[in-house]
Each structure stands twice: as structure tokens, then as C-alpha cells.
Amino acid sequence: MIERTMSWLFGYRRLSPRYERHPRNYLAFLGLAAALCCYKRLVRLTT
């Protein structure tokens, strides 16, 4: 399950190589990617 989640998160190009210089920006993009993954999963389960 962890491997699947990591592959979903690294599907976003911005997270694969670490482009951001500041860790807070990287963590913000990571949180945004996680929220998008959860939203897509929720939409798929409710339809």
C-alpha cells in the first residue's frame, strides 16, 4: 500500500526530482499532491 501511494505522489512531475530549494515549498507541493490524490479517489468511489 505504501508503494502504491508513493507512486501516486511521484506521478506529479514537480515532486519527482526535487526542484524546490526550500523544504517548506516541497512540503506544500507534497500536501497538495496528497490532497489531489485523495480527491480523485473520493470522486471515483462516489460515482
Side-chain angles (χ1 to χ4, degrees):
M1 179 123 166
I2 298 297
E3 292 86 10
R4 185 181 310 157
T5 304
M6 293 307 289
S7 70
W8 286 340
L9 290 176
F10 287 130
Y12 293 94
R13 283 188 293 158
R14 189 88 181 181
L15 294 176
S16 298
R18 191 167 167 206
Y19 290 124
E20 298 300 323
R21 292 184 185 189
H22 301 290
R24 64 178 176 203
N25 292 346
Y26 181 75
L27 289 176
F29 280 117
L30 186 62
L32 183 61
L36 286 172
C37 286
C38 291
Y39 176 74
K40 288 179 182 180
R41 177 88 171 148
L42 179 67
V43 167
R44 190 171 56 217
L45 290 175
T46 58
T47 57

CSV table of all heavy atoms in Angstrom, one decimal:
chain,number,residue,atom,x,y,z
A,1,MET,N,0.8,-1.2,0.0
A,1,MET,CA,0.0,0.0,0.0
A,1,MET,C,0.9,1.3,0.0
A,1,MET,O,0.5,2.2,-0.7
A,1,MET,CB,-0.9,0.0,1.2
A,1,MET,CG,-1.8,1.2,1.3
A,1,MET,SD,-3.4,0.7,1.4
A,1,MET,CE,-4.2,2.1,1.9
A,2,ILE,N,2.0,1.2,0.7
A,2,ILE,CA,2.9,2.4,0.8
A,2,ILE,C,3.5,2.6,-0.6
A,2,ILE,O,3.6,3.8,-1.0
A,2,ILE,CB,4.0,2.2,1.8
A,2,ILE,CG1,3.3,2.1,3.2
A,2,ILE,CG2,5.0,3.3,1.8
A,2,ILE,CD1,2.6,3.3,3.7
A,3,GLU,N,3.9,1.5,-1.3
A,3,GLU,CA,4.5,1.7,-2.6
A,3,GLU,C,3.5,2.3,-3.6
A,3,GLU,O,3.9,3.2,-4.4
A,3,GLU,CB,4.9,0.3,-3.1
A,3,GLU,CG,6.1,-0.3,-2.3
A,3,GLU,CD,5.6,-1.0,-1.1
A,3,GLU,OE1,4.4,-1.3,-1.0
A,3,GLU,OE2,6.5,-1.4,-0.3
A,4,ARG,N,2.2,1.9,-3.5
A,4,ARG,CA,1.2,2.5,-4.4
A,4,ARG,C,1.0,4.0,-4.1
A,4,ARG,O,1.0,4.8,-5.1
A,4,ARG,CB,-0.1,1.8,-4.2
A,4,ARG,CG,-1.2,2.2,-5.2
A,4,ARG,CD,-2.5,1.5,-5.0
A,4,ARG,NE,-2.3,0.1,-4.9
A,4,ARG,CZ,-3.2,-0.7,-4.3
A,4,ARG,NH1,-4.2,-0.2,-3.7
A,4,ARG,NH2,-2.9,-2.0,-4.3
A,5,THR,N,1.0,4.4,-2.9
A,5,THR,CA,0.8,5.8,-2.5
A,5,THR,C,2.0,6.6,-3.0
A,5,THR,O,1.8,7.7,-3.5
A,5,THR,CB,0.7,5.9,-1.0
A,5,THR,OG1,-0.4,5.1,-0.6
A,5,THR,CG2,0.4,7.3,-0.6
A,6,MET,N,3.2,6.1,-2.8
A,6,MET,CA,4.4,6.8,-3.3
A,6,MET,C,4.4,6.9,-4.8
A,6,MET,O,4.8,8.0,-5.3
A,6,MET,CB,5.7,6.1,-2.8
A,6,MET,CG,5.8,6.1,-1.3
A,6,MET,SD,5.7,7.8,-0.6
A,6,MET,CE,7.3,8.5,-1.2
A,7,SER,N,3.9,5.9,-5.5
A,7,SER,CA,3.9,6.0,-7.0
A,7,SER,C,2.9,7.1,-7.4
A,7,SER,O,3.1,7.8,-8.4
A,7,SER,CB,3.6,4.7,-7.6
A,7,SER,OG,2.3,4.3,-7.4
A,8,TRP,N,1.7,7.2,-6.7
A,8,TRP,CA,0.8,8.2,-7.0
A,8,TRP,C,1.3,9.6,-6.8
A,8,TRP,O,1.2,10.5,-7.6
A,8,TRP,CB,-0.5,8.0,-6.1
A,8,TRP,CG,-1.4,6.9,-6.5
A,8,TRP,CD1,-1.4,6.2,-7.7
A,8,TRP,CD2,-2.3,6.3,-5.6
A,8,TRP,NE1,-2.4,5.2,-7.6
A,8,TRP,CE2,-2.9,5.3,-6.3
A,8,TRP,CE3,-2.8,6.5,-4.3
A,8,TRP,CZ2,-3.9,4.5,-5.8
A,8,TRP,CZ3,-3.8,5.8,-3.8
A,8,TRP,CH2,-4.3,4.7,-4.5
A,9,LEU,N,2.0,9.8,-5.7
A,9,LEU,CA,2.6,11.1,-5.4
A,9,LEU,C,3.7,11.5,-6.3
A,9,LEU,O,3.8,12.6,-6.7
A,9,LEU,CB,3.1,11.1,-3.9
A,9,LEU,CG,2.0,11.1,-2.8
A,9,LEU,CD1,2.7,11.0,-1.5
A,9,LEU,CD2,1.1,12.3,-3.0
A,10,PHE,N,4.5,10.5,-6.7
A,10,PHE,CA,5.6,10.8,-7.6
A,10,PHE,C,5.2,10.9,-9.1
A,10,PHE,O,6.0,11.1,-9.9
A,10,PHE,CB,6.8,9.8,-7.4
A,10,PHE,CG,7.6,10.1,-6.2
A,10,PHE,CD1,7.8,9.0,-5.3
A,10,PHE,CD2,8.0,11.3,-5.8
A,10,PHE,CE1,8.5,9.3,-4.1
A,10,PHE,CE2,8.7,11.6,-4.7
A,10,PHE,CZ,8.9,10.5,-3.8
A,11,GLY,N,3.9,10.6,-9.3
A,11,GLY,CA,3.3,10.8,-10.6
A,11,GLY,C,3.3,12.3,-11.0
A,11,GLY,O,3.2,12.7,-12.2
A,12,TYR,N,3.3,13.1,-10.0
A,12,TYR,CA,3.3,14.6,-10.2
A,12,TYR,C,4.8,15.0,-10.5
A,12,TYR,O,5.7,14.8,-9.7
A,12,TYR,CB,2.8,15.3,-9.0
A,12,TYR,CG,1.3,15.1,-8.8
A,12,TYR,CD1,0.9,14.1,-8.0
A,12,TYR,CD2,0.4,15.8,-9.5
A,12,TYR,CE1,-0.5,13.8,-7.8
A,12,TYR,CE2,-1.0,15.5,-9.3
A,12,TYR,CZ,-1.4,14.5,-8.5
A,12,TYR,OH,-2.7,14.3,-8.3
A,13,ARG,N,5.0,15.6,-11.7
A,13,ARG,CA,6.4,15.9,-12.1
A,13,ARG,C,7.1,16.8,-11.1
A,13,ARG,O,8.3,16.7,-11.0
A,13,ARG,CB,6.3,16.6,-13.5
A,13,ARG,CG,6.1,15.6,-14.6
A,13,ARG,CD,6.3,16.3,-15.9
A,13,ARG,NE,5.2,17.3,-16.1
A,13,ARG,CZ,5.3,18.3,-16.9
A,13,ARG,NH1,6.4,18.5,-17.6
A,13,ARG,NH2,4.3,19.2,-17.0
A,14,ARG,N,6.4,17.7,-10.5
A,14,ARG,CA,7.1,18.7,-9.6
A,14,ARG,C,7.7,18.0,-8.4
A,14,ARG,O,8.7,18.5,-7.8
A,14,ARG,CB,6.0,19.7,-9.1
A,14,ARG,CG,6.6,20.8,-8.4
A,14,ARG,CD,6.9,21.9,-9.3
A,14,ARG,NE,7.5,23.0,-8.6
A,14,ARG,CZ,7.9,24.1,-9.2
A,14,ARG,NH1,7.7,24.2,-10.5
A,14,ARG,NH2,8.4,25.1,-8.6
A,15,LEU,N,7.2,16.8,-8.0
A,15,LEU,CA,7.8,16.1,-6.8
A,15,LEU,C,8.9,15.1,-7.2
A,15,LEU,O,9.6,14.7,-6.3
A,15,LEU,CB,6.6,15.4,-6.1
A,15,LEU,CG,5.6,16.3,-5.5
A,15,LEU,CD1,4.4,15.4,-4.9
A,15,LEU,CD2,6.1,17.2,-4.4
A,16,SER,N,8.9,14.6,-8.4
A,16,SER,CA,9.9,13.6,-8.7
A,16,SER,C,11.3,14.0,-8.4
A,16,SER,O,11.9,13.5,-7.5
A,16,SER,CB,9.7,13.1,-10.2
A,16,SER,OG,8.5,12.6,-10.3
A,17,PRO,N,11.9,14.9,-9.2
A,17,PRO,CA,13.2,15.5,-8.8
A,17,PRO,C,12.8,16.7,-7.9
A,17,PRO,O,11.8,17.3,-8.2
A,17,PRO,CB,13.8,15.9,-10.1
A,17,PRO,CG,12.7,16.1,-11.1
A,17,PRO,CD,11.6,15.2,-10.6
A,18,ARG,N,13.6,16.9,-7.0
A,18,ARG,CA,13.3,18.0,-6.1
A,18,ARG,C,13.8,19.3,-6.6
A,18,ARG,O,14.9,19.7,-6.5
A,18,ARG,CB,14.0,17.7,-4.7
A,18,ARG,CG,13.5,18.6,-3.7
A,18,ARG,CD,13.8,18.2,-2.3
A,18,ARG,NE,13.6,19.3,-1.4
A,18,ARG,CZ,14.2,19.5,-0.3
A,18,ARG,NH1,15.1,18.7,0.1
A,18,ARG,NH2,13.9,20.5,0.4
A,19,TYR,N,12.8,20.1,-7.2
A,19,TYR,CA,13.2,21.3,-7.8
A,19,TYR,C,13.2,22.5,-6.8
A,19,TYR,O,13.9,23.5,-7.0
A,19,TYR,CB,12.1,21.7,-8.9
A,19,TYR,CG,12.2,20.9,-10.1
A,19,TYR,CD1,11.1,20.2,-10.6
A,19,TYR,CD2,13.3,20.8,-10.9
A,19,TYR,CE1,11.1,19.4,-11.7
A,19,TYR,CE2,13.4,20.0,-12.0
A,19,TYR,CZ,12.3,19.3,-12.4
A,19,TYR,OH,12.3,18.6,-13.5
A,20,GLU,N,12.5,22.3,-5.8
A,20,GLU,CA,12.3,23.4,-4.8
A,20,GLU,C,13.6,23.5,-3.9
A,20,GLU,O,14.1,22.5,-3.5
A,20,GLU,CB,11.1,23.2,-3.9
A,20,GLU,CG,9.8,23.2,-4.7
A,20,GLU,CD,9.5,24.5,-5.4
A,20,GLU,OE1,9.9,25.5,-4.9
A,20,GLU,OE2,9.0,24.4,-6.5
A,21,ARG,N,14.0,24.7,-3.7
A,21,ARG,CA,15.1,25.0,-2.8
A,21,ARG,C,14.8,24.9,-1.3
A,21,ARG,O,15.5,24.4,-0.5
A,21,ARG,CB,15.8,26.3,-3.1
A,21,ARG,CG,16.4,26.4,-4.4
A,21,ARG,CD,17.0,27.8,-4.6
A,21,ARG,NE,17.5,27.9,-6.0
A,21,ARG,CZ,18.3,28.8,-6.4
A,21,ARG,NH1,18.6,29.8,-5.5
A,21,ARG,NH2,18.7,28.9,-7.6
A,22,HIS,N,13.6,25.4,-1.0
A,22,HIS,CA,13.2,25.4,0.4
A,22,HIS,C,12.3,24.2,0.7
A,22,HIS,O,11.4,23.9,0.0
A,22,HIS,CB,12.4,26.7,0.7
A,22,HIS,CG,13.2,27.9,0.4
A,22,HIS,ND1,14.3,28.3,1.1
A,22,HIS,CD2,13.1,28.9,-0.6
A,22,HIS,CE1,14.8,29.4,0.6
A,22,HIS,NE2,14.1,29.8,-0.4
A,23,PRO,N,12.6,23.6,1.8
A,23,PRO,CA,11.8,22.4,2.2
A,23,PRO,C,10.3,22.7,2.4
A,23,PRO,O,9.4,21.9,2.2
A,23,PRO,CB,12.4,22.0,3.5
A,23,PRO,CG,13.7,22.6,3.6
A,23,PRO,CD,13.7,23.8,2.8
A,24,ARG,N,10.0,23.9,2.9
A,24,ARG,CA,8.5,24.3,3.1
A,24,ARG,C,7.8,24.3,1.8
A,24,ARG,O,6.6,23.9,1.7
A,24,ARG,CB,8.4,25.6,3.8
A,24,ARG,CG,8.9,26.7,3.0
A,24,ARG,CD,8.7,28.1,3.7
A,24,ARG,NE,9.4,29.1,2.8
A,24,ARG,CZ,9.8,30.2,3.3
A,24,ARG,NH1,9.7,30.5,4.5
A,24,ARG,NH2,10.3,31.0,2.4
A,25,ASN,N,8.4,24.7,0.7
A,25,ASN,CA,7.7,24.7,-0.6
A,25,ASN,C,7.5,23.2,-1.1
A,25,ASN,O,6.5,22.9,-1.6
A,25,ASN,CB,8.6,25.4,-1.7
A,25,ASN,CG,8.6,26.9,-1.4
A,25,ASN,OD1,7.8,27.4,-0.6
A,25,ASN,ND2,9.5,27.6,-2.1
A,26,TYR,N,8.5,22.4,-0.9
A,26,TYR,CA,8.4,21.0,-1.3
A,26,TYR,C,7.3,20.3,-0.5
A,26,TYR,O,6.5,19.6,-1.0
A,26,TYR,CB,9.7,20.3,-1.0
A,26,TYR,CG,9.7,18.8,-1.4
A,26,TYR,CD1,9.8,18.4,-2.7
A,26,TYR,CD2,9.6,17.8,-0.5
A,26,TYR,CE1,9.7,17.1,-3.1
A,26,TYR,CE2,9.6,16.5,-0.8
A,26,TYR,CZ,9.6,16.1,-2.2
A,26,TYR,OH,9.6,14.8,-2.5
A,27,LEU,N,7.2,20.6,0.8
A,27,LEU,CA,6.2,20.0,1.7
A,27,LEU,C,4.8,20.5,1.3
A,27,LEU,O,3.8,19.8,1.3
A,27,LEU,CB,6.4,20.3,3.1
A,27,LEU,CG,7.6,19.5,3.7
A,27,LEU,CD1,7.9,20.0,5.2
A,27,LEU,CD2,7.4,18.1,3.7
A,28,ALA,N,4.7,21.8,0.8
A,28,ALA,CA,3.5,22.3,0.4
A,28,ALA,C,3.0,21.6,-0.9
A,28,ALA,O,1.8,21.2,-1.0
A,28,ALA,CB,3.6,23.8,0.1
A,29,PHE,N,3.9,21.4,-1.8
A,29,PHE,CA,3.5,20.6,-3.0
A,29,PHE,C,3.2,19.2,-2.7
A,29,PHE,O,2.3,18.6,-3.3
A,29,PHE,CB,4.7,20.7,-4.1
A,29,PHE,CG,4.7,22.0,-4.9
A,29,PHE,CD1,5.8,22.8,-4.8
A,29,PHE,CD2,3.6,22.3,-5.7
A,29,PHE,CE1,5.8,24.0,-5.5
A,29,PHE,CE2,3.6,23.5,-6.4
A,29,PHE,CZ,4.7,24.3,-6.3
A,30,LEU,N,3.9,18.6,-1.8
A,30,LEU,CA,3.6,17.3,-1.3
A,30,LEU,C,2.2,17.2,-0.7
A,30,LEU,O,1.4,16.3,-1.1
A,30,LEU,CB,4.6,16.8,-0.3
A,30,LEU,CG,4.5,15.3,0.1
A,30,LEU,CD1,4.8,14.4,-1.1
A,30,LEU,CD2,5.6,15.1,1.2
A,31,GLY,N,1.8,18.1,0.1
A,31,GLY,CA,0.5,18.2,0.7
A,31,GLY,C,-0.6,18.4,-0.4
A,31,GLY,O,-1.7,17.8,-0.4
A,32,LEU,N,-0.3,19.2,-1.4
A,32,LEU,CA,-1.2,19.5,-2.5
A,32,LEU,C,-1.4,18.2,-3.3
A,32,LEU,O,-2.6,17.9,-3.7
A,32,LEU,CB,-0.7,20.6,-3.3
A,32,LEU,CG,-1.6,21.0,-4.5
A,32,LEU,CD1,-3.0,21.5,-4.0
A,32,LEU,CD2,-0.9,22.1,-5.3
A,33,ALA,N,-0.4,17.5,-3.6
A,33,ALA,CA,-0.4,16.3,-4.4
A,33,ALA,C,-1.2,15.2,-3.6
A,33,ALA,O,-2.1,14.5,-4.2
A,33,ALA,CB,0.9,15.7,-4.7
A,34,ALA,N,-1.0,15.1,-2.3
A,34,ALA,CA,-1.8,14.2,-1.5
A,34,ALA,C,-3.3,14.5,-1.5
A,34,ALA,O,-4.1,13.6,-1.6
A,34,ALA,CB,-1.2,14.2,0.0
A,35,ALA,N,-3.6,15.8,-1.4
A,35,ALA,CA,-5.0,16.2,-1.4
A,35,ALA,C,-5.6,15.9,-2.7
A,35,ALA,O,-6.8,15.5,-2.8
A,35,ALA,CB,-5.1,17.7,-1.1
A,36,LEU,N,-4.9,16.1,-3.8
A,36,LEU,CA,-5.4,15.8,-5.1
A,36,LEU,C,-5.7,14.3,-5.3
A,36,LEU,O,-6.7,13.9,-5.9
A,36,LEU,CB,-4.5,16.3,-6.2
A,36,LEU,CG,-4.5,17.8,-6.5
A,36,LEU,CD1,-3.4,18.2,-7.4
A,36,LEU,CD2,-5.9,18.3,-7.0
A,37,CYS,N,-4.7,13.5,-4.8
A,37,CYS,CA,-4.9,12.0,-4.9
A,37,CYS,C,-6.1,11.6,-4.1
A,37,CYS,O,-6.9,10.8,-4.6
A,37,CYS,CB,-3.7,11.3,-4.3
A,37,CYS,SG,-2.2,11.4,-5.4
A,38,CYS,N,-6.3,12.2,-2.9
A,38,CYS,CA,-7.5,11.8,-2.1
A,38,CYS,C,-8.8,12.3,-2.8
A,38,CYS,O,-9.8,11.5,-2.8
A,38,CYS,CB,-7.4,12.4,-0.7
A,38,CYS,SG,-6.1,11.7,0.3
A,39,TYR,N,-8.8,13.4,-3.3
A,39,TYR,CA,-10.0,13.9,-4.0
A,39,TYR,C,-10.3,13.1,-5.2
A,39,TYR,O,-11.5,12.7,-5.4
A,39,TYR,CB,-9.7,15.4,-4.5
A,39,TYR,CG,-10.9,15.9,-5.3
A,39,TYR,CD1,-12.1,16.3,-4.7
A,39,TYR,CD2,-10.8,16.1,-6.7
A,39,TYR,CE1,-13.1,16.8,-5.4
A,39,TYR,CE2,-11.8,16.6,-7.4
A,39,TYR,CZ,-13.0,16.9,-6.8
A,39,TYR,OH,-14.0,17.4,-7.5
A,40,LYS,N,-9.3,12.7,-6.0
A,40,LYS,CA,-9.6,11.9,-7.2
A,40,LYS,C,-10.1,10.5,-6.8
A,40,LYS,O,-11.0,9.9,-7.4
A,40,LYS,CB,-8.3,11.7,-8.0
A,40,LYS,CG,-7.9,12.9,-8.8
A,40,LYS,CD,-6.6,12.7,-9.6
A,40,LYS,CE,-6.2,13.9,-10.3
A,40,LYS,NZ,-4.9,13.6,-11.0
A,41,ARG,N,-9.6,10.0,-5.7
A,41,ARG,CA,-10.1,8.7,-5.2
A,41,ARG,C,-11.5,8.8,-4.7
A,41,ARG,O,-12.3,7.9,-4.9
A,41,ARG,CB,-9.1,8.2,-4.1
A,41,ARG,CG,-9.5,7.0,-3.4
A,41,ARG,CD,-8.9,5.8,-4.1
A,41,ARG,NE,-9.1,4.6,-3.3
A,41,ARG,CZ,-9.3,3.4,-3.8
A,41,ARG,NH1,-9.3,3.3,-5.1
A,41,ARG,NH2,-9.6,2.4,-3.1
A,42,LEU,N,-11.8,9.9,-4.0
A,42,LEU,CA,-13.1,10.1,-3.5
A,42,LEU,C,-14.2,10.2,-4.6
A,42,LEU,O,-15.2,9.6,-4.5
A,42,LEU,CB,-13.2,11.3,-2.6
A,42,LEU,CG,-14.5,11.7,-2.0
A,42,LEU,CD1,-14.9,10.6,-1.0
A,42,LEU,CD2,-14.4,13.0,-1.3
A,43,VAL,N,-13.8,10.9,-5.6
A,43,VAL,CA,-14.7,11.1,-6.8
A,43,VAL,C,-14.9,9.8,-7.4
A,43,VAL,O,-16.1,9.4,-7.8
A,43,VAL,CB,-14.1,12.2,-7.8
A,43,VAL,CG1,-14.9,12.1,-9.1
A,43,VAL,CG2,-14.2,13.5,-7.1
A,44,ARG,N,-13.9,9.0,-7.6
A,44,ARG,CA,-14.0,7.7,-8.2
A,44,ARG,C,-14.9,6.7,-7.4
A,44,ARG,O,-15.7,5.9,-8.0
A,44,ARG,CB,-12.6,7.1,-8.5
A,44,ARG,CG,-12.7,5.9,-9.4
A,44,ARG,CD,-11.4,5.4,-9.8
A,44,ARG,NE,-10.5,5.1,-8.6
A,44,ARG,CZ,-9.2,5.4,-8.6
A,44,ARG,NH1,-8.6,5.9,-9.6
A,44,ARG,NH2,-8.5,5.1,-7.5
A,45,LEU,N,-14.8,6.8,-6.1
A,45,LEU,CA,-15.6,5.9,-5.3
A,45,LEU,C,-17.1,6.3,-5.2
A,45,LEU,O,-17.9,5.5,-4.9
A,45,LEU,CB,-15.0,5.8,-3.8
A,45,LEU,CG,-13.7,5.1,-3.7
A,45,LEU,CD1,-13.1,5.2,-2.3
A,45,LEU,CD2,-13.8,3.7,-4.1
A,46,THR,N,-17.4,7.6,-5.3
A,46,THR,CA,-18.7,8.1,-5.1
A,46,THR,C,-19.5,8.1,-6.4
A,46,THR,O,-20.7,8.3,-6.4
A,46,THR,CB,-18.8,9.5,-4.5
A,46,THR,OG1,-18.0,10.4,-5.4
A,46,THR,CG2,-18.2,9.5,-3.1
A,47,THR,N,-18.9,7.9,-7.6
A,47,THR,CA,-19.6,7.8,-8.8
A,47,THR,C,-19.8,6.4,-9.3
A,47,THR,O,-19.3,5.5,-8.9
A,47,THR,CB,-18.9,8.7,-9.9
A,47,THR,OG1,-17.6,8.2,-10.1
A,47,THR,CG2,-18.9,10.1,-9.5
